[in-house]
Amino acid sequence: EAQVTQNPRYLITVTGKKLTVTCSQNMNHEYMSWYRQDPGLGLRQIYYSMNVEVTDKGDVPEGYKVSRKEKRNFPLILESPSPNQTSLYFCASSFGASRQETQYFGPGTRLLVL
Amino acid sequence: KNQVEQSPQSLIILEGKNCTLQCNYTVSPFSNLRWYKQDTGRGPVSLTIMTFSENTKSNGRYTATLDADTKQSSLHITASQLSDSASYICVVSAGAAGNKLTFGGGTRVLVKP
């Protein structure tokens, strides 16, 4: 089944404890992206990747890192999480970002930073 | 700064009725405009994607329109069903490669029997 998977789905952590949220897609997509969704603010793009070893900042990259060593995986790294990073995170992928490429979203990861 | 504004923020409609959601954007350079449906607690699902040259696109009971001159889009839901209760998000892609996405705040639709 074609899908985007994220792990973990739920995570409670403490300030400063490094964490990684994994994202994997099985559709051979080139474009992958991370978003956070907060009440009243909607979805905001954190980082995106046009292809392997190509990443770029979105609108809210501060406090996050990403890597794209393989086409299928795009992990989101929080080196030193803070309470303002408590949010619902979505990973998404598509064949490309432009034209008429449908973007597929993962199920979301709900993060609570204490 | 790129912005996408949606209205109304929320609306309640009776099952079987039609409704129209609005999206205004100030995004440059425009690449494409997408409408997503997001059920509570789940990832958004794509409904339509339109490029600059497209005026309208349908997906079942969902019809999106785009006026690139006025930078406005609408999503029309025909003969609403209870399963249409969700948030509808307008997303505009910018840049030559369309890789920078700006999301609207969404319109929350509640369909009542």
Side-chain angles (χ1 to χ4, degrees):
Chain A
E1 179 190 354
Q3 60 183 350
V4 178
T5 56
Q6 294 178 227
N7 282 292
R9 294 289 314 281
Y10 304 91
L11 180 60
I12 301 174
T13 189
V14 295
T15 299
K17 186 175 182 182
K18 181 180 178 179
L19 67 92
T20 299
V21 184
T22 64
C23 172
S24 183
Q25 49 91 6
N26 62 0
M27 296 169 278
N28 201 35
H29 285 167
E30 292 184 346
Y31 181 87
M32 297 185 75
S33 185
W34 274 103
Y35 305 92
R36 60 177 291 175
Q37 187 172 33
D38 303 288
L41 296 176
L43 278 151
R44 293 177 293 170
Q45 192 173 37
I46 303 171
Y47 268 95
Y48 62 91
S49 170
M50 299 291 283
N51 212 326
V52 176
E53 301 292 3
V54 181
T55 63
D56 209 345
K57 296 177 181 178
D59 293 323
V60 289
E62 296 78 20
Y64 304 95
K65 284 176 57 177
V66 293
S67 69
R68 188 88 183 274
K69 294 185 171 59
E70 321 165 81
K71 202 170 190 178
R72 63 182 295 128
N73 296 323
F74 190 45
L76 179 70
I77 303 157
L78 284 71
E79 294 271 4
S80 183
S82 62
N84 64 13
Q85 292 179 297
T86 291
S87 186
L88 177 59
Y89 291 87
F90 289 102
C91 178
S93 73
S94 64
F95 280 111
S98 64
R99 295 177 290 143
Q100 309 219 17
E101 307 291 356
T102 297
Q103 194 169 53
Y104 296 86
F105 282 78
T109 294
R110 195 171 289 278
L111 173 65
L112 173 61
V113 183
L114 300 173
Chain B
K1 182 183 176 184
N2 291 338
Q3 284 190 308
V4 177
E5 302 283 343
Q6 291 187 243
S7 62
Q9 280 193 323
S10 62
L11 73 127
I12 300 173
I13 58 174
L14 291 177
E15 187 178 12
K17 299 295 186 183
N18 304 334
C19 69
T20 300
L21 316 179
Q22 299 292 340
C23 173
N24 296 336
Y25 62 92
T26 53
V27 173
S28 182
F30 177 88
S31 179
N32 60 63
L33 185 145
R34 306 155 186 252
W35 282 95
Y36 286 91
K37 177 186 179 187
Q38 185 178 24
D39 293 313
T40 302
R42 308 190 73 160
V45 174
S46 180
L47 293 176
T48 62
I49 304 172
M50 289 183 291
T51 58
F52 185 87
S53 59
E54 296 176 292
N55 301 118
T56 185
K57 184 161 281 191
S58 292
N59 178 356
R61 293 179 297 101
Y62 301 102
T63 299
T65 65
L66 174 64
D67 185 335
D69 292 329
T70 61
K71 298 187 178 182
Q72 296 179 324
S73 176
S74 66
L75 180 70
H76 187 76
I77 305 175
T78 302
S80 60
Q81 300 177 359
L82 298 179
S83 59
D84 292 330
S85 294
S87 287
Y88 292 85
I89 304 171
C90 175
V91 185
V92 183
S93 294
N99 48 6
K100 297 216 68 172
L101 277 64
T102 303
F103 288 73
T107 294
R108 187 176 295 276
V109 174
L110 176 61
V111 181
K112 286 192 168 184

